[in-house]
Amino acid sequence: MSDSSLLPPNPVLGRLTVVGLGLIGGSFAKGVRESGICEEVVGCDPDPTARRLALPLGVVDRVTDDLAEAVQGADVIMLAVPVLAMESVLTQLSGMDLGQAVLTDAGSTKGAVVKAVEKAFGQTPALFVPGHPIAGSEKSGVEAAKAELFKRHKVILTPLEHTSPQAVELVSKLWQVLGADVEQMALADHDEVLAATSHLPHLLAFSLVDTLASRSENLEIFRYAAGGFRDFTRIAASDPLMWRDVFLANRDAVLRSLDAFTKDLGRLRAAVDEGDATTLLGVFTRAKSAREHFSTILARRAYMEPMQTNVINFVAAPGGRVQGSIRVPGDKSISHRSIMLGSLAEGVTEVEGFLEGEDSLATLQAFRDMGVVIEGPYHGRVTINGVGLNGLQAPPGPLYLGNSGTSMRLLSGLLAAQMFDTTLVGDASLSKRPMGRVAKPLREMGARLETANEGRPPLRIQGDSRLMGMDYEMPMASAQVKSCLLLAGLYAAGTTSVTEPAPTRDHTERMLQGFGYPVKVKGSTVTIEPGHRLTACKIDVPADISSAAFFMVAASIAEGSDLVLEHVGINPTRIGVINILRAMGGDISLQNEREVGGEPVADIRVRHARLKGIEIPVDQVPLAIDEFPVLFVAAACAEGRTVLRGAEELRVKESDRIQVMADGLQALGVRAEPTPDGIVIDGGTIHGGSVDSHGDHRIAMSFSVASLRATDEIHISDCANVATSFPDFIGLAQAVGIQVRLEESA
Ligand code: S3P
């Protein structure tokens, strides 16, 4: 082999030689052969049965047991023999003329293979590309070979510093032809990661089956061993020889994983022994949520990066009316706070009606990461085993808060007061949002925290800072800033008071009181002192008025509509949408008004009405801050002009909601002119067309509602984040008569 003259970029290969016709080698050979990108696939295996079966199974074009003959004239040589057999094959190869052949392998550990290559060749040749397909089956042998074995599986290549990029590209292409996702990784990282995710589970499966099989009552045990045993031990039927080699070859990394596991298993043993229910539940709930998260990654519905990995578009057919009686999901703001305060309380807090959206789940996960045992959510029920104000533990890594600004801003205050350091990170949208508004006052209280450029996330918060209470006049009306400082104030020496320029949602104050923590509210100032305790309680989360708002506008604009929205929170700091729609002529009545757990609630009946344009009163802006996207749709359907001012805050929400809504409305033929702090909309006809939601949940849902009055279909792109606040929006919208659906093959 020589390094200099590499293969031409032409992807069509002359000859591929696969050495080792087991499950992996056989599947690779068969897949490449069936793809037709290679003129000839040659197999080489010392086992006569494998050779006999390979031809009729269509795995290769030609087969031999003579290595020299097999590699003669090969463009690519794939080594698919057990890791410890590599050395002898490589030694033989080093004595042959391989021409310009690219050499690659499919071994499960990479360090040992590279060592064997070095030993055989004196150095690792530039045309050697170490690789590992993360795919397999408990079945072995050429008879189990499947051309599609690697489809949608990862293949990790671990090229070395001097590995030829062209050779890497060629090997990548071959795997891609088989439908695999090819990634590159440093060699040492590969062996460490695989020790934990593949080698350790195999060791455990082999060990458990062996332990049970050697017990005298084994027949009985196996007879009753159903789902769990079968699932857990499937991989114990894997090829013993191959796995023996893996453990010998990846000794050190496997030992590290095994030691960590043994330690944790010891803790679980102690918990079982001592009847320690909390520890057991803590491990199980954390594991369950991690496993579910893992399943969504496997299903390519990654919860971690919905905006980047999950392309979901909506299409909404024109016309229709809305009717019926529905309950929209739980209030997002209250759901976040129930987890936060429930975690800090003493005792067990039971939550009903919790919003199972990605934003509030991000908060829930953050507290699990800080050692709080939380059961659920199950049908909106969450049980939080509070740890008390000083019971949080350092999380194992950065807290990932997805799309959720509320999580990041509120947590920053709470975490600035803890003894441990934390880092808060978010998705692409959250990473652009301003955090200076919380960082600045927190620093004045003595917190030590850093943001990235221009006050953006990530937030790096240093623990063990002594916070001092202070009087803070907020420059903007923000419930998130207010809540952040109140949470910091729980721990600060002296009194913390926050004065707001206009009323903002007061869920934090109400809920603190619900947990028995004294909070003083006088005019526009809220005051809190340290030294008290939160006592666990029951929380009934009302339906979210921000989610109900889409249906309130829908019923208002679509002729013949009559809709009841059940059990909606009508906290006076949240009812701007009702006030504004009524001022526009909306027909909205509140029925069955009651108070549930310190929050006012009602059923809201909305009937179609002829809306008229208005100047939106500036004092309503903070009370309807999240509802403007859909109120702009109402304005587009109203007679005359609607003007919004004093709402510059909308420019720094999940998207720039003024610009994005103006662009979308204009694309649908509506006259909508953005201004620095608002928008001017002239009611008129909504045409069909395509709009971009910019990954903003509320924009996506607003344009779905607009379809009720559109003359043609509306296509809405980038809608995956609807799941942050309103899982199953589409289902509920369809149930009442909005003709929106997922666009197929986005
Ligand atoms: C929220 C407050 C509001 C709102 C957000 C939730 C809260 O933000 O837009 O969706 O739960 O405190 P600001 O307080 O920043 O206006």
Side-chain angles (χ1 to χ4, degrees), residues 194-415:
L194 267 290
T197 57
S198 169
H199 307 169
L200 181 63
H202 277 84
L203 195 79
L204 301 184
F206 283 128
S207 163
L208 179 70
V209 176
D210 186 48
T211 303
L212 294 192
S214 352
R215 281 170 61 171
S216 54
E217 70 276 32
N218 65 52
L219 261 184
E220 281 304 289
I221 288 177
F222 286 124
R223 186 174 311 149
Y224 297 110
F229 178 81
R230 233 192 349 251
D231 288 351
F232 185 79
T233 57
R234 177 181 61 80
I235 50 179
S238 304
D239 182 357
L241 195 81
M242 175 194 143
W243 282 101
R244 177 204 62 188
D245 283 10
V246 166
F247 290 105
L248 297 178
N250 201 20
R251 173 182 180 273
D252 293 349
V254 167
L255 284 180
R256 276 190 290 277
S257 276
L258 190 56
D259 289 348
F261 176 75
T262 310
K263 200 164 133 220
D264 288 350
L265 194 62
R267 280 206 203 109
L268 272 179
R269 190 196 180 284
V272 172
D273 186 18
E274 291 153 20
D276 176 354
T278 313
T279 297
L280 292 174
L281 203 63
V283 173
F284 299 165
T285 48
R286 277 197 305 277
K288 177 172 159 55
S289 74
R291 181 62 176 79
E292 281 164 1
H293 173 202
F294 172 66
S295 311
T296 61
I297 291 177
L298 284 185
R300 308 216 171 166
R301 290 182 286 113
Y303 143 86
M304 290 288 280
E305 289 290 341
M307 291 189 51
Q308 277 116 54
T309 54
N310 200 4
V311 180
I312 288 181
N313 299 329
F314 288 176
V315 51
R321 60 183 176 180
V322 297
Q323 282 181 321
S325 184
I326 53 168
R327 179 164 171 166
V328 299
D331 187 280
K332 185 151 73 79
S333 294
I334 299 177
S335 296
H336 282 300
R337 288 156 172 86
S338 69
I339 298 293
M340 294 179 189
L341 300 191
S343 296
L344 299 178
E346 287 166 30
V348 177
T349 291
E350 304 274 358
V351 185
E352 296 272 355
F354 180 81
L355 168 66
E356 297 183 34
E358 287 174 2
D359 277 10
S360 35
L361 289 174
T363 293
L364 189 152
Q365 187 58 37
F367 280 87
R368 273 196 181 133
D369 288 348
M370 292 189 284
V372 183
V373 176
I374 304 175
E375 296 161 59
Y378 180 70
H379 294 168
R381 267 204 316 280
V382 179
T383 305
I384 308 161
N385 294 268
V387 295
L389 276 166
N390 297 308
L392 294 178
Q393 293 162 22
L399 295 174
Y400 178 78
L401 302 171
N403 195 246
S404 178
T406 310
S407 309
M408 190 170 285
R409 296 207 179 107
L410 270 59
L411 276 177
S412 66
L414 175 62
L415 297 176

Side-chain angles (χ1 to χ4, degrees), residues 49-60:
T49 311
R51 290 201 304 275
R52 184 170 47 77
L53 291 174
L55 273 179
L57 287 172
V59 168
V60 289

Side-chain angles (χ1 to χ4, degrees), residues 332-333 337 406 409 437 477-480 505 625-626 653:
K332 185 151 73 79
S333 294
R337 288 156 172 86
T406 310
R409 296 207 179 107
R437 57 180 60 196
S478 167
Q480 294 183 350
R505 64 192 69 189
I625 192 69
D626 292 337
K653 291 292 181 189

